Amino acid sequence: MRENYEAVIGLEVHAQMLTKTKAYSNDVNEYGAMPNTNISAITLGHPGTLPVMNKKTIEYAIKLGLALNCNIAEDQYFARKNYFYPDLPKGYQITQDKTPICTGGSVKIKTKDGVEKEIGITRIHMEEDAGKSIHDVDMYDTLVDLNRAGTPLLEIVTEPDLRSSDEAYAYLQEVRKLLRYLEICDGNMEEGSMRCDANISVMKKGSKVFGTKVEVKNMNSMRNVQRAIEFEINRQIEALENGEELFQETRSFDALNNSTISMRSKEAANDYRYFPEPDLQPIRVTEDQINGVKAEMPALPNDLFEKYTKEYKLSEYDASNLIEAKPIALFYNEVTAHTKNYKAAANWIMGDVKSFLNQRGLEMKDFPISAEQIAKLIGIIDEGKVSSTVASQSIFPAMLEAPEKDPLAIAQELNLIQESDEDSIKNYISQVIAQHPSEVERYRNGEKQLTGFFMGQLMRLSKGKADPKAANKLMREMLEQ
Amino acid sequence: MYKTFAEVKLALKEGATVESIVQHYLTEIENRKSLNAFLEVFTEDVLAQAKEVDAKIKAGTAGKLAGMVVGLKDNICYKDHKVSASSRILEGFESIYSATVVQRLLDEDAVIIGRLNCDEFAMGSSNETSYYGPVRNAINEEYVPGGSSGGSASALAAGLCTVTLGSDTGGSIRQPAAFTGTVGLKPTYGRVSRFGLIAYASSFDQIGPFTNNVEDAALVMNVISGEDEYDSTSSSKPVEDYTNISFEGKKKFAVIKDAIQMDGLDPEIRAAFNAQVEALKAEGHVVEEVSFPYLDVMVPTYYVITTAEASSNLSRFDGVHFGYRSEDAKGVEATYKQSRTEGFGAEVKRRIMSGTFVLSNEYYDSYYTKAQKVRRVIQDKTNEILANYDFIILPTTASTAFKLNSVTDQIQMYLQDIFTVQANLAGNPAISVPAGTHSNGLPFGIQIMADHYKEKELLACAEHLMKK
């Protein structure tokens, strides 16, 4: 049944901007403060107060617009969206309505099945957040926290280009990654700093006419967006198959039951009575300003992916892994500034470094060892002074304890410098051969896989210090004799 | 009687204290209680403030306006004082901050004596829409003082303050000034910060002074004008010294023919106006009639846009966060509906409904968009006239003040603004100065309008006309 249909999905992402102050006042913009503490007369919408634009928000919007190759509008106009709600103190929200700052542009996505696609961006506009109504703290009353009121938001609206919940998930991942790289938004859906509404419809495969669209709200994680879309696609197909008519409505995702529930029909929708905000003068964005933002643009994940795969010859898998989070990528960039062994640097970061962080529940910024020290560690392995195993098992843990210490000094102190002179290695090999005559016999009769066993014995005798490469070669020679 | 700041300063020089001057005004306020001009007198506060200013005068550190006793229209916020816009919906509400104009006056050591009655949310032309009852005209208490700044006009005319502040959205300073024989200035839109002025129509509102002479208007404007970081519609243009004025050389005056020929214009006012014109001509000034065929569309245009803005500006009065909340409302929806039903008066509701209607999806283009276009035409045409003339002069109003409760037709009431709305639609500065006394014993005014930010020239011209 499902294979006869195609889903059409458009997403609206609201990203709270990480500005120090709110969109139209000097009130502090922060998450997690005591309720109703970052509220001046302006946030409270007291009579006589006026909004004053936080120019930083325009800069952030331009940044995102440039990253997505959007057109940036020259003049910024603002509009009021009027509706009554207890967490909206002014009775209207300042937004951009017909004149968004960014239009056009796209986001490149890659689904987990490897499908690559460009998702068109319809518009990005600036607006202010409302406060928060809290329904589950007090038994009888809804509580209102206005700290969030006036927080600057970017609303990012896609074209109806997405065709599956996987694509939607990949899109959200990509947008979140970008927002984080640009340091515009921390992208935390659980805390609500990034929110997403989905417009979903289904149509018969091959049809050119979209079906009736339904808007789904209240999904507080990317997984929930995926689940809500899945549910909605199935619900709509089922309804159509049963001969039911779908109607335009807003539905709410119910995470407990993994389903969506109707909130309101289109007929019951508000007439928001948008009109130009008379309290704000239009603001002009100059070419200079755009160039200024351009000059300060950080490297974006796609640029880094290109560099890692083309220049550093990393696999696509490694490259994607490294760019996943900006702090990791930045650390990798720093390590590769000190070593040309790009692959080893990638392996160290994705392996030992990441597992250390994961085990301790730490973030990259908490990692004690400097990028330069990691590069040095890679250096002494490459020079054959220590083996990778020793480096990983003994030197790295020692470095974590004493991050300032030079890895080579650590290796010397712990007596871990690899022995690569032939005489001492031959001496170990002779001992191994002498101690294991039956295994030698079997080897000589063709069980070549016993090399591993002999190497293990050799390493035990040398306490891991024998250069495995040299030892392996000499071992074969002596066994063949 | 201290009618002007010059008289106050003279008294101070002769040994009076600010406290004694305040005492004088407090006594006068008490004597004229029947005017219903004051909603609240800040007796204790103003006396304490007066003592502080006296100390500063002694120490030689007093500001420019030391000794000036100011009354505020009840839509201008003053920290830790009540402000209600003469509406029940703000009953008991205290502002937690001061309007920029108030702060600037205080910084120059003016003292604030109280808040003055006005039309509810500045919506009205007779001061009869106030929840706290009508204000009476100080010249004759059977008559209205005009509106919406009726309390500011009447208090000043009765000598209850040195200066009062009002706000002007469509004529709310100039019309009451004309009705009470006082000087009323509406500055250029953007010249004076609106921060702390309870908004009626944001793209029209301006705060301005009521004074008994031009000099005091200039003094107050010197202090309250200028850019304000809290109002992005305030202009960064430097403020000129408005007290340093001279009316020299030959000027060009435009008279709007369509207005002066209007049927409803009182013949005595017309005659006085024409005499004024002749006098100016006799001095060698050029006075010419110009055509401005938009008189009949100005008031409708004004009402479409102002009510649209008002419907949104007044959304915050919802009974949830501050002000009046209906006691027996259950639930959010009922709280909104009942609080607003009980909290707003009839005229305010009428305008909220009109504004909501003109902004609604179906009617937006035929009303709001169209009105914006007409506003643009009026702006262009006004600019065009003022490119060729220094001033536009007109009677401020078509008649003198009317008796309380005598105008019951809303359209008639709205037409009170017919000569004054142009300055608000186009954003120009305009002033009304007394132009004579009618045979009915009531004063009337002449209005001068100038190009944007030409307050200095406007005040010079006003002073010249007043001297005659």
Side-chain angles (χ1 to χ4, degrees):
Chain A
M1 190 162 69
R2 184 144 175 190
E3 55 280 4
N4 298 331
Y5 287 90
E6 189 168 23
V8 176
I9 303 155
L11 296 180
E12 288 171 21
V13 168
H14 284 89
Q16 282 185 346
M17 293 190 243
L18 290 167
T19 51
K20 288 197 184 71
T21 55
K22 292 187 181 180
Y24 305 106
S25 74
N26 284 327
D27 290 348
V28 173
N29 172 32
E30 64 177 343
Y31 180 84
M34 284 291 286
N36 295 311
T37 49
N38 294 327
I39 49 167
S40 66
I42 300 174
T43 294
L44 290 169
H46 271 198
T49 55
L50 298 169
V52 174
M53 189 76 198
N54 178 350
K55 299 260 165 67
K56 205 79 190 166
T57 62
I58 295 183
E59 190 189 311
Y60 281 17
I62 295 172
K63 237 187 200 177
L64 183 61
L66 290 173
L68 301 185
N69 287 316
C70 300
N71 300 311
I72 314 283
E74 193 178 14
D75 288 318
Q76 303 311 318
Y77 297 96
F78 303 92
R80 290 187 188 175
K81 176 181 181 179
N82 296 285
Y83 64 96
F84 287 98
Y85 207 75
D87 58 26
L88 188 70
K90 296 193 297 293
Y92 58 83
Q93 186 183 17
I94 303 175
T95 175
Q96 287 201 292
D97 189 34
K98 293 192 187 73
T99 52
I101 180 160
C102 308
T103 49
S106 65
V107 173
K108 280 197 197 77
I109 63 160
K110 195 170 178 185
T111 64
K112 65 176 199 296
D113 307 325
V115 180
E116 284 187 54
K117 198 168 167 180
E118 265 192 35
I119 306 304
I121 296 296
T122 312
R123 57 183 286 161
I124 301 171
H125 69 256
M126 301 175 279
E127 61 181 30
E128 59 175 337
D129 211 340
K132 212 168 173 180
S133 293
I134 301 156
H135 305 288
D136 54 2
V137 169
D138 188 277
M139 267 231 275
Y140 306 104
D141 296 319
T142 291
L143 306 179
V144 174
D145 177 8
L146 292 178
N147 281 350
R148 199 179 73 176
T151 296
L153 293 177
L154 285 175
E155 182 171 335
I156 309 154
V157 183
T158 71
E159 291 289 299
D161 286 349
L162 299 156
R163 290 290 174 270
S164 70
S165 61
D166 278 350
E167 289 184 10
Y169 187 82
Y171 168 81
L172 287 176
Q173 265 191 317
E174 205 52 45
V175 167
R176 186 175 66 178
K177 199 194 293 170
L178 266 170
L179 290 168
R180 286 176 173 172
Y181 265 82
L182 295 167
E183 289 170 21
I184 288 174
C185 166
D186 63 20
N188 192 331
M189 284 192 77
E190 284 74 20
E191 284 178 1
S193 66
M194 181 171 138
R195 303 193 286 274
C196 173
D197 299 337
N199 287 297
I200 307 155
S201 68
V202 296
M203 60 183 179
K204 277 258 159 71
K205 270 230 169 92
S207 168
K208 292 213 160 48
V209 189
F210 290 170
T212 306
K213 92 179 165 190
V214 166
E215 186 181 18
V216 182
K217 290 179 176 289
N218 297 328
M219 301 158 288
N220 66 349
S221 72
M222 301 206 304
R223 282 291 164 217
N224 280 347
V225 174
Q226 206 177 8
R227 289 189 189 112
I229 292 173
E230 272 307 301
F231 174 85
E232 199 47 36
I233 293 172
N234 289 328
R235 184 190 73 82
Q236 291 183 18
I237 293 175
E238 208 169 297
L240 291 175
E241 286 291 312
N242 291 338
E244 290 165 33
E245 203 181 328
L246 291 168
F247 54 95
Q248 210 171 320
E249 61 178 333
T250 304
R251 298 178 72 88
S252 173
F253 179 65
D254 175 3
L256 230 54
N257 297 308
N258 229 345
S259 65
T260 66
I261 307 156
S262 184
M263 282 167 81
R264 55 174 180 264
S265 68
K266 195 200 173 197
E267 287 69 41
N270 262 318
D271 178 352
Y272 290 119
R273 292 169 286 124
Y274 287 99
F275 75 105
E277 164 59 287
D279 287 332
L280 289 171
Q281 302 282 49
I283 295 174
R284 172 148 296 186
V285 172
T286 61
E287 201 65 32
D288 278 358
Q289 199 179 350
I290 294 176
N291 288 336
V293 175
K294 241 182 221 164
E296 284 175 18
M297 277 292 254
L300 296 177
N302 285 339
D303 305 333
L304 292 179
F305 184 84
E306 286 285 295
K307 183 175 170 187
Y308 295 169
T309 51
K310 300 255 161 67
E311 207 179 302
Y312 292 181
K313 309 284 185 222
L314 296 185
S315 68
E316 289 197 0
Y317 175 83
D318 285 353
S320 324
N321 207 329
L322 285 170
I323 61 165
E324 198 47 52
K326 184 179 184 181
I328 302 271
L330 289 183
F331 190 73
Y332 177 69
N333 287 351
E334 255 190 273
V335 175
T336 51
H338 294 101
T339 173
K340 294 275 167 285
N341 195 342
Y342 306 124
K343 175 65 183 157
N347 289 345
W348 271 100
I349 289 171
M350 291 183 302
D352 295 74
V353 174
K354 260 194 174 175
S355 52
F356 167 76
L357 295 176
N358 290 343
Q359 272 165 24
R360 306 284 174 98
L362 296 176
E363 289 179 46
M364 195 66 235
K365 66 172 167 36
D366 307 316
F367 186 63
I369 307 172
S370 73
E372 196 179 350
Q373 295 283 70
I374 295 289
K376 278 188 186 161
L377 180 59
I378 293 169
I380 62 172
I381 299 166
D382 289 350
E383 289 161 16
K385 292 204 170 95
V386 295
S387 69
S388 316
T389 319
V390 162
S392 171
Q393 284 171 0
S394 307
I395 303 179
F396 183 71
M399 288 169 79
L400 288 169
E401 296 304 316
E404 309 79 31
K405 257 195 184 159
D406 190 69
L408 184 61
I410 293 176
Q412 280 160 345
E413 249 171 60
L414 298 178
N415 197 20
L416 294 170
I417 298 293
Q418 213 160 236
E419 294 180 14
S420 46
D421 70 295
E422 286 201 6
D423 290 344
S424 67
I425 293 175
K426 276 183 177 163
N427 185 26
Y428 288 130
I429 296 173
S430 306
Q431 287 181 51
V432 171
I433 292 175
Q435 283 165 16
H436 302 282
S438 62
E439 282 82 0
V440 172
E441 187 66 25
R442 282 160 57 199
Y443 178 88
R444 291 186 173 146
N445 288 333
E447 287 187 55
K448 303 287 181 215
Q449 70 272 26
L450 279 169
T451 317
F453 167 78
F454 294 122
M455 282 299 289
Q457 294 304 314
L458 180 137
M459 284 301 173
R460 195 175 54 83
L461 282 175
S462 73
K463 298 197 173 68
K465 289 191 300 181
D467 177 357
K469 236 169 155 182
N472 206 304
K473 187 169 157 269
L474 289 170
M475 176 79 77
R476 281 170 202 278
E477 282 171 19
M478 289 174 72
L479 284 167
E480 308 282 312
Q481 275 170 10
Chain B
M1 269 306 232
Y2 305 104
K3 295 289 273 182
T4 64
F5 190 49
E7 289 173 28
V8 168
K9 287 223 281 211
L10 187 66
L12 287 175
K13 213 171 174 183
E14 290 169 349
T17 59
V18 177
E19 192 184 351
S20 70
I21 289 160
V22 168
Q23 281 293 0
H24 157 81
Y25 284 124
L26 290 173
T27 309
E28 289 300 307
I29 291 168
E30 197 54 35
N31 290 340
R32 297 301 298 271
K33 264 201 132 148
S34 56
L35 292 177
N36 197 27
F38 275 86
L39 291 181
E40 186 182 358
V41 183
F42 305 140
T43 310
E44 268 178 45
D45 270 7
V46 72
L47 285 171
Q49 224 193 321
K51 279 184 191 146
E52 279 174 35
V53 177
D54 278 326
K56 281 192 188 173
I57 292 175
K58 243 187 197 158
T61 57
K64 283 199 278 265
L65 301 183
M68 184 179 277
V69 180
V70 180
L72 300 176
K73 185 177 180 179
D74 189 37
N75 59 356
I76 299 171
C77 297
Y78 178 17
K79 190 175 184 203
D80 299 332
H81 291 78
K82 283 184 184 142
V83 63
S84 78
S86 293
S87 178
R88 186 187 189 190
I89 207 144
L90 276 174
E91 207 171 29
F93 177 79
E94 263 185 32
S95 182
I96 61 171
Y97 72 101
S98 284
T100 299
V101 290
V102 171
Q103 196 52 55
R104 286 181 180 176
L105 289 173
L106 291 173
D107 289 346
E108 290 297 340
D109 290 323
V111 297
I112 311 289
I113 196 164
R115 55 194 177 97
L116 296 158
N117 203 345
C118 57
D119 278 300
E120 186 179 0
F121 283 101
M123 296 175 185
S125 303
S126 64
N127 217 125
E128 293 171 299
T129 72
S130 167
Y131 176 66
Y132 300 98
V135 175
R136 292 167 183 276
N137 191 321
I139 312 297
N140 183 334
E141 294 196 14
E142 283 177 38
Y143 290 80
V144 302
S148 64
S149 314
S152 303
S154 210
L156 201 267
L160 314 185
C161 314
T162 330
V163 164
T164 61
L165 289 188
S167 68
D168 191 314
T169 307
S172 284
I173 289 176
R174 289 157 290 156
Q175 181 248 25
F179 280 9
T180 55
T182 54
V183 176
L185 170 68
K186 181 206 88 81
T188 309
Y189 183 79
R191 181 70 299 178
V192 176
S193 167
R194 293 183 296 116
F195 185 71
L197 169 67
I198 298 180
Y200 156 22
S202 313
S203 71
F204 293 75
D205 299 341
Q206 270 290 293
I207 294 171
F210 283 91
T211 55
N212 280 311
N213 63 10
V214 171
E215 191 189 354
D216 287 353
L219 281 167
V220 171
M221 282 300 289
N222 271 359
V223 171
I224 66 173
S225 304
E227 191 177 13
D228 177 15
E229 58 169 324
Y230 291 107
D231 177 2
S232 48
T233 64
S234 70
S235 169
S236 58
K237 247 188 200 328
V239 177
E240 297 175 275
D241 179 3
Y242 301 123
T243 54
N244 179 23
I245 50 177
S246 64
F247 192 72
E248 278 162 12
K250 303 297 174 217
K251 305 289 182 193
K252 283 185 81 182
F253 291 82
V255 172
I256 291 172
K257 188 173 63 188
D258 315 78
I260 211 71
Q261 288 171 352
M262 196 182 82
D263 277 346
L265 180 60
D266 181 287
E268 281 188 44
I269 294 179
R270 183 185 286 127
F273 180 81
N274 286 336
Q276 188 72 269
V277 166
E278 290 313 312
L280 284 169
K281 281 182 181 165
E283 288 170 2
H285 301 292
V286 175
V287 188
E288 286 171 356
E289 288 194 346
V290 296
S291 167
F292 187 79
Y294 307 105
L295 226 47
D296 55 336
V297 295
M298 275 205 291
V299 172
T301 302
Y302 167 82
Y303 274 93
V304 169
I305 303 172
T306 56
T307 58
E309 292 181 6
S311 71
S312 175
N313 283 334
L314 271 59
S315 294
R316 67 190 66 199
F317 306 104
D318 59 5
V320 173
H321 295 280
F322 47 76
Y324 176 80
R325 179 189 289 186
S326 176
E327 273 180 31
D328 42 81
K330 298 259 185 298
V332 177
E333 191 87 10
T335 300
Y336 290 149
K337 285 182 179 163
Q338 279 168 248
S339 302
R340 287 168 71 82
T341 302
E342 294 159 24
F344 288 135
E347 182 58 27
V348 172
K349 284 183 215 166
R350 190 162 21 242
R351 296 198 196 188
I352 291 173
M353 284 190 281
S354 304
T356 305
F357 174 78
V358 299
L359 287 179
S360 66
N361 218 346
E362 266 173 89
Y363 297 98
Y364 189 89
D365 284 338
S366 40
Y367 288 95
Y368 185 76
T369 308
K370 198 166 187 180
Q372 289 285 37
K373 283 183 187 155
V374 178
R375 185 180 193 181
R376 168 62 62 181
V377 172
I378 290 166
Q379 283 169 345
D380 290 347
K381 185 67 190 171
T382 305
N383 286 340
E384 198 183 302
I385 296 172
L386 288 169
N388 295 315
Y389 297 90
D390 298 300
F391 306 104
I392 297 172
I393 48 169
L394 275 183
T396 310
T397 56
S399 68
T400 55
F402 43 90
K403 282 193 170 157
L404 264 93
N405 304 318
S406 66
V407 178
T408 48
D409 175 32
Q410 282 314 312
I411 302 298
Q412 277 315 302
M413 191 64 95
Y414 291 175
L415 287 174
Q416 278 298 315
D417 297 331
I418 189 142
F419 298 151
T420 50
V421 284
Q422 184 183 359
N424 304 82
L425 283 162
N428 296 70
I431 191 168
S432 175
V433 295
T437 306
H438 196 273
S439 59
N440 64 15
L442 294 167
F444 54 87
I446 183 166
Q447 174 183 237
I448 317 159
M449 205 188 308
D451 206 354
H452 290 231
Y453 300 101
K454 292 274 170 70
E455 272 81 0
K456 199 170 170 174
E457 290 77 358
L458 189 70
L459 287 163
C461 180
E463 187 164 67
H464 180 74
L465 290 191
M466 262 190 95
K467 267 190 207 142
K468 300 198 310 164

